[in-house]
Amino acid sequence: MIEAFGLTSNPRKELPPAVDDVSFEARAGRVTALLGAPGAGKTTALRLMLELQRGRGLTHFRGRPLHRIAHPVREVGVLLGDVPGHPARTVRGHLRMLCAAAGVPVRRADEVLEAVGLMSLRDERLGTLSRGMDRRLGLACALLADPHTLVLDDPAGALSAREAAWVHTMLRAHASQGGTVLFSTADPKEAARAADHVVTLEQGRVVADQEAPDFSRTRLRPRVVVRTPYAARLATVLTKEARAARRSVEIVREGGNRLAVYGGTCADIGDTAFRHGILVHQLADEYGDMGPGAGVIPVVSRPGSTHGRGADTGSVPPSRDGGLPEPVDASGPAGVRPATAGAPPVTDADAPSPHTHTHPHTDTLTDPDPEPTPGADPGADTVTHADAVPPTSAAVDLSPAASQHSPAPAASQPRPAPGRPVRPAPARTLATGAASPLPPPVSVRSAPSPLRPLRYEFRRAAGIRTGFVTIAVALLVSVVTAVILARVGHTPQPQLLAAWPQELPLPPAALGAGLLGALASGDEFRHPALAADRGAVPRRLGLLVAKLLVSAVTALVLAALTVGGNAAVLHLFYGPELAGVPADWPALGAGWLALVVGCGWAGVLAAGVFRSTTAGLAAVVAVPVLVVPLVQKVWDGPSVRTAAGLPMRTRELFLTTWPFGGERYVAEVLRMIAQPVGSALALSVTALLCAYLLMTLRSRPQ
């Protein structure tokens, strides 16, 4: 289950916080809706719960905060906004990349695609999907690691009625197997139709915390609103007349001088007020979502007896045993019976599946929907609580006392045999008659391995053509530049092979490596892929090391291809004299490879720090343009000794001779670092790495 305690966002300037002291719970085996108008704080509350936004408060997922869970993506499946993926990536490639990140077998991608009905679109690009298919893929991403909890922000927003029904069918099927489902919506009818419990937010605060039948009864039925300074007297008079006339009338106090009367008309209430000399300031019909404050004041059912929520807390009165609220006793013929729900009977399409089973994470299931309201208005726009799957292991009690959507005791539920895979229960059958089952549970999970981030990074880099196009463009520009420099002349052979003219701050290969490194982190912030893992990109050292390794390998390949391609083209156009191997090729080759790899690392770290691909590439270009002159100025200063003798002084410092001539390689490395470009690049990479680690420590929840 989910337990949120005192969620409060950080205020901006003089504005009040978007979420202020929000506390609620979402139970396992049930669907909970977070309802509120646009700007009420629904999305902010979800982001605070998932620790994607800094603020105060605490959220427990089955008793633990998210940062205390070893693998959050296996506990919580998240869908916030559009599908988090690069538009040029294929549907299957995107899911396989997430499989590597979550540590689940790659076949899981095909299983969830089959479950959400996207198997025929597995080779389509994400950017070509419609809104409905986008939502299906988002739900597939949330279900990929077989999580116990689903947290979704407006999953059915802007969808057709058919697609919205399918989404809520899948959510109901997940809850029926013991999972926890929490989704946000701005539509009160959708909340009442699809949820078992509704938490209402207004201006960042919880104004109502209700069971779905109570929510439907108090906010979605036609009613008459009366404003009078004698509200208590008018409520008593209306109750007495309704009992005398044997009519079903329900009266709700919604403030000091406001009454909501269900089951009456403006004419009848006006006549009653006139006969008894009661002053009325307002008398009007209302229907639908009643706006702020509805459903949080006690309901007057009989004289001397009130049943409902407190005006301040919105809590439900407990039963005798401290459990869920008891139904109102309206057995007398003169009783003023409040409606228990605004839902019609369960239809054949909502019948329970005979194959319902317990979810591997928990054994809690939900009770069936309540019976229809005996005195409900047949012309009202009724709201159905569709898709509730009752347990099949015991008899189902459809009496009003059992219609509170409470989970059945875990002890009464069947448990799967140890070591035996549990076959998932099929979800609801839609109007077309096609079943939409949930994906099967993940039976095998890979153990923690350092290769998991590498697999994710390789699939991320190879899943789109951007990297290959960047390498091809860098090679083409290098070849053209080398040919032009050879024709012009007066260019040293090492710079000719690297295609590095004196006028450019960096060669094309180094710029290409920096762009590839910047894309490694920047694309994830533009198209996040690991939203369930505490942020768009989890700032973990394992993933950082994987990105640095992959970018280094890519940079080395690009550097080797650049030199080889330039040498081949120069040999073809101008003969072997321009394509020969330089005399000091080991030192030159090491410096060339270090330059390209350093540019790639600078792009990775800068894009991770500034969360932008453009900023990552700008940091690479800033090294020779800004940092190199600064380093030269520092080295040439009167108070600093020249770095020309740094390798010799270092060799003299270590008096012993290294085996296999190791001191020679150390001297070459120090000589490269002592160069202006080398020292500037090393300084920049070190500063970016320190900034990345500092942001990693600051982003961890306290």
Side-chain angles (χ1 to χ4, degrees):
M1 64 182 299
I2 303 176
E3 298 172 298
F5 307 99
L7 298 178
T8 304
S9 61
N10 293 333
R12 294 184 177 180
K13 297 182 179 179
E14 301 298 330
L15 298 177
V19 174
D20 188 7
D21 196 21
V22 170
S23 300
F24 65 92
E25 68 178 28
R27 300 180 183 177
R30 312 179 75 191
V31 178
T32 303
L34 193 62
L35 175 66
K42 306 184 299 298
T43 302
T44 303
L46 296 182
R47 293 182 62 84
L48 288 172
M49 294 170 59
L50 297 171
E51 300 176 0
L52 302 179
Q53 182 172 332
R54 300 184 68 86
R56 292 176 292 172
L58 188 63
T59 303
H60 285 172
F61 296 88
R62 290 202 292 179
R64 293 178 297 171
L66 196 61
H67 61 273
R68 298 291 186 184
I69 301 175
H71 301 285
V73 72
R74 299 181 183 178
E75 175 66 27
V76 185
V78 178
L79 177 59
L80 301 178
D82 295 333
V83 170
H86 196 287
R89 201 181 301 276
T90 62
V91 172
R92 174 185 278 180
H94 179 72
L95 289 177
R96 287 187 172 184
M97 178 189 68
L98 296 185
C99 285
V104 296
V106 70
R107 66 175 182 273
R108 181 68 176 176
D110 294 332
E111 293 176 355
V112 295
L113 285 177
E114 186 70 27
V116 301
L118 290 180
M119 200 62 183
S120 60
L121 302 178
R122 59 185 179 273
D123 295 326
E124 295 293 328
R125 305 290 177 180
L126 298 187
T128 63
L129 297 180
S130 64
R131 177 69 177 179
M133 297 301 102
D134 182 273
R135 293 285 92 183
R136 288 175 181 254
L137 179 59
L139 191 56
C141 296
L143 294 172
L144 190 64
D146 192 21
H148 173 270
T149 303
L150 292 180
V151 178
L152 308 100
D153 186 15
D154 197 14
L159 295 183
S160 63
R162 178 184 177 83
E163 289 291 343
W166 180 89
V167 169
H168 290 300
T169 293
M170 294 291 288
L171 300 184
R172 175 63 62 183
H174 183 82
S176 69
Q177 297 181 33
T180 303
V181 177
L182 174 65
F183 73 93
S184 67
T185 180
D187 187 1
K189 295 181 181 179
E190 178 187 358
R193 179 171 55 247
D196 303 313
H197 193 87
V198 181
V199 179
T200 306
L201 293 182
E202 287 179 6
Q203 297 180 354
R205 291 180 175 269
V206 176
V207 297
D209 192 339
Q210 305 167 281
E211 298 295 315
D214 296 333
F215 174 80
S216 301
R217 172 173 53 82
T218 57
R219 300 195 66 168
L220 295 180
R221 291 172 54 203
R223 66 181 186 175
V224 177
V225 175
V226 186
R227 289 187 181 274
T228 172
Y230 308 100
R233 179 183 171 192
L234 180 59
T236 303
V237 170
L238 291 176
T239 302
K240 290 181 179 179
E241 290 194 355
R243 296 183 59 173
R246 305 172 67 88
R247 290 186 292 106
S248 178
V249 175
E250 182 181 1
I251 303 173
V252 179
R253 276 295 283 281
E254 293 186 345
N257 62 348
R258 178 183 169 102
L259 294 178
V261 182
Y262 299 90
T265 64
C266 287
D268 293 339
I269 297 174
D271 292 344
T272 301
F274 178 76
R275 288 196 306 269
H276 292 81
I278 299 176
L279 178 64
V280 175
H281 292 165
Q282 180 188 11
L283 187 63
D285 290 316
E286 285 188 359
Y287 178 76
D289 185 15
M290 295 298 103
V296 296
I297 306 298
V299 179
V300 180
S301 60
R302 290 180 297 178
S305 174
T306 59
H307 297 268
R309 281 152 208 62
D312 297 328
T313 62
S315 60
V316 181
S319 61
R320 295 183 182 90
D321 57 356
L324 293 175
E326 298 179 352
V328 178
D329 183 12
S331 58
V336 181
R337 295 189 300 172
T340 58
V346 178
T347 61
D348 293 338
D350 299 324
S353 169
H355 303 288
T356 304
H357 77 289
T358 55
H359 194 275
H361 298 290
T362 182
D363 298 322
T364 305
L365 296 177
T366 59
D367 282 346
D369 288 329
E371 291 181 338
T373 304
D377 184 4
D381 185 9
T382 57
V383 180
T384 60
H385 298 273
D387 307 328
V389 181
T392 59
S393 61
V396 178
D397 184 9
L398 294 178
S399 62
S403 62
Q404 301 297 332
H405 289 266
S406 59
S412 64
Q413 308 304 327
R415 295 180 179 272
R420 180 179 179 182
V422 182
R423 180 172 175 266
R428 295 287 175 220
T429 301
L430 302 180
T432 59
S436 178
L438 286 175
V442 177
S443 56
V444 178
R445 296 183 185 272
S446 60
S449 170
L451 297 180
R452 184 188 305 168
L454 282 176
R455 286 196 296 267
Y456 161 75
E457 185 60 24
F458 274 117
R459 288 175 181 170
R460 183 208 60 78
I464 55 178
R465 293 190 293 265
T466 305
F468 301 103
V469 172
T470 302
I471 293 176
V473 171
L475 292 177
L476 179 60
V477 174
S478 297
V479 169
V480 173
T481 304
V483 172
I484 295 176
L485 291 177
R487 183 173 182 84
V488 173
H490 308 291
T491 301
Q493 187 184 15
Q495 291 186 344
L496 194 62
L497 293 177
W500 191 356
Q502 299 287 348
E503 294 78 10
L504 292 181
L506 287 174
L511 291 175
L515 178 58
L516 291 174
L519 289 172
S521 293
D523 272 353
E524 288 184 333
F525 289 105
R526 290 191 298 145
H527 314 288
L530 303 175
D533 209 1
R534 302 206 316 272
V537 178
R539 296 185 178 277
R540 294 184 176 180
L541 295 182
L543 185 59
L544 174 62
V545 172
K547 289 184 179 297
L548 294 179
L549 288 178
V550 173
S551 64
V553 172
T554 306
L556 292 176
V557 172
L558 179 58
L561 291 178
T562 299
V563 174
N566 293 343
V569 172
L570 292 175
H571 184 278
L572 179 64
F573 280 88
Y574 301 103
E577 61 274 4
L578 294 181
V581 178
D584 55 343
W585 66 268
L588 293 176
W592 167 246
L593 296 179
L595 173 66
V596 179
V597 172
C599 289
W601 285 359
V604 171
L605 295 172
V609 171
F610 300 106
R611 302 196 174 194
S612 172
T613 302
T614 305
L617 185 59
V620 175
V621 178
V623 171
V625 175
L626 299 178
V627 184
V628 169
L630 180 62
V631 171
Q632 286 181 331
K633 186 176 181 180
V634 171
W635 283 121
D636 296 338
S639 60
V640 179
R641 292 188 59 184
T642 177
L646 179 62
M648 185 60 64
R649 292 196 300 269
T650 306
R651 186 174 180 178
E652 294 174 355
L653 181 63
F654 299 98
L655 299 179
T656 59
T657 302
W658 292 23
F660 306 105
E663 71 279 359
R664 181 180 60 183
Y665 300 104
V666 174
E668 290 294 337
V669 171
L670 293 175
R671 187 174 66 84
M672 287 188 295
I673 294 179
Q675 298 297 324
V677 176
S679 57
L681 189 59
L683 179 63
S684 300
V685 171
T686 303
L688 290 173
L689 180 60
C690 294
Y692 192 97
L693 296 178
L694 179 62
M695 293 183 64
T696 302
L697 296 177
R698 291 189 59 186
S699 63
R700 291 180 179 177
Q702 301 297 327

